[in-house]
Amino acid sequence: MEKLHYNTMPSPIGKITLVASEDALCALYVKDEEKPKMVGAVKNEDNKVIQKTIKQLNEYFAGKRKTFDLPLSPEGTEFQNRAWNALCEIPYGQVWSYGKQAQYLKAPNAQRAVGGANGKNPIPVIIPCHRVIGSSGKLTGFAGGMEMKIFLLKLEGHEVDTHGLKLSKQLSFESL
């Protein structure tokens, strides 16, 4: 079993804990959520993957980075990994519906499975599950909490209505 390292960083969405091997980022945890990848991980401020991740996250939160260039190693089922790879295709500032993500995966009836996979995304923000919303434009569940989803969507240029439930600007995806 590969040795894992972790370190934390402050952020506008709360304390982030990063877990990585020598080669790739394995998990990103926000605040006090359960951290299964932390079991056996050793604190290491010198891990190059973690250092690069902290730098890129700080640039993203400062509005200076729109894409991440990091080695990622999320662990999931074959379907989950396909769903997470699809999330990485959603450009900064755009959103997809669960249906569009399912179509991208060539599984047009798998919206619920897509939602389940997105909810288990071990590297949120970097694998941008916050960019997936309901086909009506309504913001739907998010493992990091609705407040975090709204913050990230606003950071990427979306206007969220006063209830925080619906994007109020023109939706930026074709055929929800």
Side-chain angles (χ1 to χ4, degrees):
M1 186 173 175
E2 192 169 19
K3 187 174 183 181
L4 296 179
H5 307 270
Y6 78 92
N7 201 6
T8 60
M9 66 175 283
S11 83
I13 57 174
K15 182 175 95 172
I16 292 176
T17 302
L18 302 164
V19 182
S21 66
E22 291 296 328
D23 303 318
L25 186 67
C26 303
L28 181 155
Y29 301 112
V30 181
K31 300 179 185 167
D32 296 323
E33 68 179 308
E34 224 177 288
K35 300 174 177 73
K37 281 293 202 182
M38 291 285 295
V39 176
V42 177
K43 183 161 180 142
N44 182 346
E45 296 176 9
D46 299 322
N47 178 287
K48 299 222 180 311
V49 172
I50 292 174
Q51 287 178 337
K52 187 175 181 181
T53 304
I54 290 171
K55 179 180 184 292
Q56 290 190 20
L57 282 169
N58 282 329
E59 291 168 352
Y60 170 78
F61 289 126
K64 296 178 180 166
R65 174 172 288 276
K66 296 189 180 345
T67 60
F68 292 96
D69 177 25
L70 297 165
L72 304 177
S73 183
E75 283 185 18
T77 66
E78 180 185 338
F79 183 81
Q80 287 170 334
N81 282 302
R82 287 180 52 229
W84 301 335
N85 286 335
L87 291 171
C88 293
E89 297 300 317
I90 307 171
Y92 180 98
Q94 293 188 26
V95 293
W96 282 5
S97 67
Y98 293 96
K100 179 171 171 107
Q101 187 180 358
Q103 288 174 351
Y104 180 88
L105 295 171
K106 298 188 180 4
N109 297 318
Q111 294 97 325
R112 286 188 192 277
V114 162
N118 291 358
K120 295 202 182 319
N121 173 9
I123 311 175
V125 182
I126 294 167
I127 298 177
C129 51
H130 61 277
R131 295 181 187 154
V132 180
I133 64 173
S135 60
S136 67
K138 185 174 180 177
L139 302 186
T140 54
F142 183 66
M146 208 47 97
E147 188 177 309
M148 183 170 127
K149 184 169 188 157
I150 291 168
F151 175 87
L152 294 171
L153 288 170
K154 283 182 173 181
L155 177 69
E156 294 187 9
H158 293 282
E159 295 176 31
V160 181
D161 74 15
T162 55
H163 302 291
L165 296 175
K166 192 167 190 166
L167 297 174
S168 57
K169 81 173 191 178
Q170 183 69 20
L171 297 178
S172 51
F173 51 80
E174 324 83 51
S175 68
L176 290 167

